[in-house]
Amino acid sequence: MKKVLYVASESVPFIKTGGLADVVGSLPKCFPKEHFDVRVIIPKYACMKQQFKDSLRYVTNFYMSMNWRQQYVGIFETEYDGIKFYFIDNEEHFGGDKPYYGMPNDLEKFAFFSKAALSILPVINFRPDIIHCHDWQTGLVPVYLKERFQASDFYRGIKTVMTIHNLKFQGVYDIKTIKSITGLSDYFFTPDKLEMNKDANYLKGGLVYADAITTVSNTYAEEIKTPFYGENLDGLMCARSNSLRGIVNGIDYDEYNPETDSMIAQNYSARTFRKEKVKNKLALQSELGLDVDPKVMMIGIVSRLTDQKGFDLISYMMDEMCQDSIQLVVLGTGDEKYENMFRHFAWKYDKKVSANIYYSEALSHKIYAASDAFLMPSLFEPCGLSQLMSLRYGTVPIVRETGGLKDTVQPYNEFEGTGTGFSFTNYNAHEMLGTIRYAERIFYDRKREWNKIVDRGMAKDYSWGNSAKQYEEMYNWLAGF
Ligand code: ADP
Ligand code: GLC
């Protein structure tokens, strides 16, 4: 049996702030059970839904030396969809009402988490062949593994993979603070290891020490070797390019399935969407207080409201867009300036714009099902899952050609009759508006063409199958299976 351990800061269904949780919660079940034993470790956040907290079984606890003192490490476990999940418990670190608090608080808790994730392995009697780490929060896992754990037989030979879901977040702070938080010696704080521009950097540690590096699309794997996308680590990405590969994300096709989704008003399929999908639009229009009109083009947005997602382009063009015959339904939370921007336009164009500034799984499904188009003009996008969910629900993505958006949405070509969405190249508000208006023309004037775009989108397969195979090959190669 090949043993793989995922270590991450979030995973569905237990805790989610973005796509990372979708990946960590859905990928482990996609490996063949007869060959792979894949388990997951995440923190036991007090802010998890009660229903999940109640489902956890207490395993044991011990004290781990960290930060000049002994710290409590509790272990809980549960099985979900055939996958074993472990939860690291420590009230002081994970007791807050949200998973992340920013620096330096998060640095302390994820140093603790990374070391605890390694420390519990003999206790739970699981010796993985591969430890698969995700994002900066787990960047110290490969570092601690090399620094101390691999001196003992139990850990010797374990290989590590570091997956970059978002290079923007690295876990950076001054060296002195990080040295005292992590307990790592001076040896680690040089420019070829954790140091970057005189600060210390968790993700960089992971990228230097991991045996293999992946990121979540091919285009992003290339982009991060350039200064614009490289977030000051482009040099390292180039230096490690032999160990770096892009594997595009998939989505859970059972959870996101318009034929069986119990959260939406009307189920439909690739065969029936022409007649049935619109019922979801009508239901959502009346639920959100928009004009109820089956014909109007509804554009959806479900997103963290941050600079990454291109909201300055949208904010610049909102008035223009609202002159057209469209409706815009937004679901998201994040930067106050964007939250307020959408609230403002929902007030100004109250029958056309609906701003839902909160987190809701159910409303997100309704938006994917109800909308005609989905807007995602990202400044950068390592992969993006929302456009995959849209394609699955017959909702046509309008995206900027970057990262995973470029790899998963084929631009409509009216001459060849190809493509699954609409896209533009430059990060420019007028280009975005031009593309939206082009989509509007096809939607209103050439409905049969539009429906063929939907046909092609729904026929695409963005389930995990193919990508899980690529991870499998990498694990096999790394661990010499
Ligand atoms: P990122 O990970 O950068 O936020 P992705 O497109 O990879 O972007 O994944 C975002 C995930 O989070 C999707 O599953 C999307 O539906 C979900 N999501 C984002 N904001 C919300 C929200 N306010 N309510 C419900 N789901 C949301
Ligand atoms: C990150 C990225 C997003 C990606 C997700 C899952 O949050 O911003 O593009 O889809 O991780 O890999």
Side-chain angles (χ1 to χ4, degrees):
M1 195 56 100
K2 307 165 182 179
K3 295 186 186 141
V4 183
L5 176 72
Y6 279 46
V7 186
S9 57
E10 48 183 277
S11 170
V12 293
F14 305 101
I15 185 88
K16 164 168 164 179
T17 70
L20 168 65
D22 289 304
V23 173
V24 176
S26 58
L27 176 56
K29 4 178 214 195
C30 300
F31 298 99
K33 289 269 178 322
E34 60 285 14
H35 302 304
F36 280 90
D37 181 357
V38 185
R39 305 189 188 183
V40 182
I41 301 186
I42 61 172
K44 181 175 177 289
Y45 297 108
C47 58
M48 275 191 286
K49 276 207 192 113
Q50 194 61 39
Q51 132 204 25
F52 292 120
K53 282 195 279 190
D54 292 344
S55 72
L56 309 186
R57 278 186 307 273
Y58 169 76
V59 180
T60 185
N61 78 74
F62 59 91
Y63 280 78
M64 176 179 87
S65 85
M66 178 97 207
N67 215 353
W68 321 114
R69 60 194 169 107
Q70 296 294 312
Q71 296 199 25
Y72 173 87
V73 180
I75 308 173
F76 284 71
E77 64 172 19
T78 193
E79 206 163 295
Y80 193 87
D81 252 1
I83 296 294
K84 185 96 167 250
F85 284 81
Y86 296 98
F87 298 77
I88 306 266
D89 183 31
N90 179 301
E91 273 290 312
E92 183 189 330
H93 291 301
F94 307 124
D97 58 5
K98 52 185 187 187
Y100 309 124
Y101 278 84
M103 310 300 161
N105 181 299
D106 287 350
L107 291 164
E108 243 179 274
K109 75 180 169 220
F110 290 113
F112 167 82
F113 175 65
S114 298
K115 197 168 172 192
L118 289 167
S119 304
I120 72 166
L121 299 178
V123 182
I124 58 173
N125 194 18
F126 185 67
R127 194 265 180 203
D129 301 290
I130 309 259
I131 301 181
H132 191 155
C133 308
H134 299 265
D135 272 357
W136 78 266
Q137 293 90 343
T138 56
L140 290 181
V141 170
V143 181
Y144 280 132
L145 187 65
K146 292 265 161 50
E147 182 232 11
R148 62 186 70 189
F149 289 86
Q150 285 202 324
S152 86
D153 283 346
F154 181 88
Y155 295 92
R156 202 163 298 130
I158 295 179
K159 302 284 186 203
T160 52
V161 178
M162 187 82 230
T163 292
I164 303 167
H165 295 264
N166 196 334
L167 195 59
K168 176 118 192 145
F169 304 109
Q170 301 179 358
V172 179
Y173 220 69
D174 67 80
I175 292 180
K176 191 160 159 262
T177 308
I178 291 199
K179 213 184 279 179
S180 95
I181 289 176
T182 59
L184 292 166
S185 68
D186 287 345
Y187 170 82
F188 289 91
F189 297 92
T190 55
D192 58 334
K193 304 190 192 75
L194 266 68
E195 181 184 337
M196 189 179 85
N197 301 337
K198 304 224 160 23
D199 281 328
N201 183 318
Y202 280 24
L203 180 65
K204 186 170 179 223
L207 296 173
V208 168
Y209 281 97
D211 295 294
I213 304 171
T214 72
T215 187
V216 288
S217 68
N218 279 315
T219 294
Y220 195 59
E222 291 307 315
E223 286 173 342
I224 56 180
K225 292 180 208 157
T226 66
F228 183 79
Y229 294 99
E231 304 287 348
N232 293 318
L233 287 175
D234 40 300
L236 177 59
M237 300 323 317
C238 290
R240 292 223 60 191
S241 64
N242 281 339
S243 314
L244 164 69
R245 57 187 292 189
I247 303 179
V248 74
N249 286 333
I251 55 171
D252 187 330
Y253 262 38
D254 296 328
E255 196 189 335
Y256 294 95
N257 181 356
E259 272 187 88
T260 55
D261 193 332
S262 58
M263 295 190 229
I264 64 177
Q266 174 68 49
N267 291 119
Y268 58 95
S269 67
R271 219 169 22 79
T272 62
F273 79 87
R274 284 176 173 77
K275 261 184 65 192
E276 305 294 342
K277 181 172 158 66
V278 68
K279 295 179 186 164
N280 290 293
K281 179 157 70 178
L282 294 170
L284 193 61
Q285 285 167 334
S286 61
E287 181 180 333
L288 300 178
L290 297 169
D291 279 333
V292 177
D293 175 357
K295 293 228 153 50
V296 68
M297 178 173 173
M298 181 186 279
I299 302 179
I301 293 178
V302 178
S303 182
R304 290 184 293 116
L305 303 180
T306 66
D307 292 335
Q308 171 189 342
K309 303 292 178 177
F311 288 111
D312 47 353
L313 301 189
I314 296 177
S315 115
Y316 193 67
M317 282 301 165
M318 272 303 271
D319 273 315
E320 285 265 353
M321 280 162 65
C322 290
Q323 306 315 309
D324 298 0
S325 170
I326 58 152
Q327 288 180 342
L328 194 70
V329 177
V330 181
L331 171 65
T333 59
D335 295 355
E336 221 166 286
K337 64 177 172 183
Y338 297 129
E339 294 186 344
N340 290 335
M341 181 271 286
F342 282 120
R343 285 193 185 108
H344 167 76
F345 285 107
W347 163 79
K348 189 166 175 189
Y349 303 100
D350 66 327
K351 295 292 170 206
K352 289 185 127 177
V353 179
S354 168
N356 305 276
I357 310 300
Y358 51 85
Y359 186 90
S360 163
E361 212 72 54
L363 184 57
S364 76
H365 284 239
K366 289 180 192 171
I367 295 175
Y368 292 123
S371 304
D372 298 294
F374 190 89
L375 182 58
M376 215 167 158
S378 305
L379 173 62
F380 68 95
E381 197 60 76
C383 178
L385 300 175
S386 293
Q387 83 281 10
L388 304 182
M389 293 161 186
S390 300
L391 288 167
R392 175 82 165 141
Y393 281 79
T395 298
V396 176
I398 303 175
V399 303
R400 181 171 165 254
E401 289 157 16
T402 183
L405 297 174
K406 187 169 175 192
D407 294 352
T408 57
V409 178
Q410 287 80 43
Y412 172 57
N413 182 320
E414 62 181 50
F415 306 104
E416 292 173 1
T418 55
T420 56
F422 294 84
S423 63
F424 60 100
T425 312
N426 295 303
Y427 192 72
N428 174 303
H430 293 277
E431 255 186 60
M432 179 191 73
L433 184 66
T435 306
I436 295 172
R437 289 200 162 143
Y438 177 41
E440 286 172 31
R441 282 203 302 281
I442 306 296
F443 179 82
Y444 284 114
D445 304 339
R446 304 179 67 186
K447 201 35 141 313
R448 290 181 60 163
E449 275 294 294
W450 180 271
N451 283 337
K452 284 192 201 154
I453 301 175
V454 176
D455 276 332
R456 288 191 291 269
M458 290 185 91
K460 288 274 171 203
D461 182 1
Y462 286 111
S463 63
W464 273 110
N466 207 355
S467 299
K469 281 222 176 62
Q470 294 180 50
Y471 280 112
E472 207 180 310
E473 281 165 20
M474 182 182 64
Y475 297 151
N476 286 340
W477 168 79
L478 260 182
F481 291 138

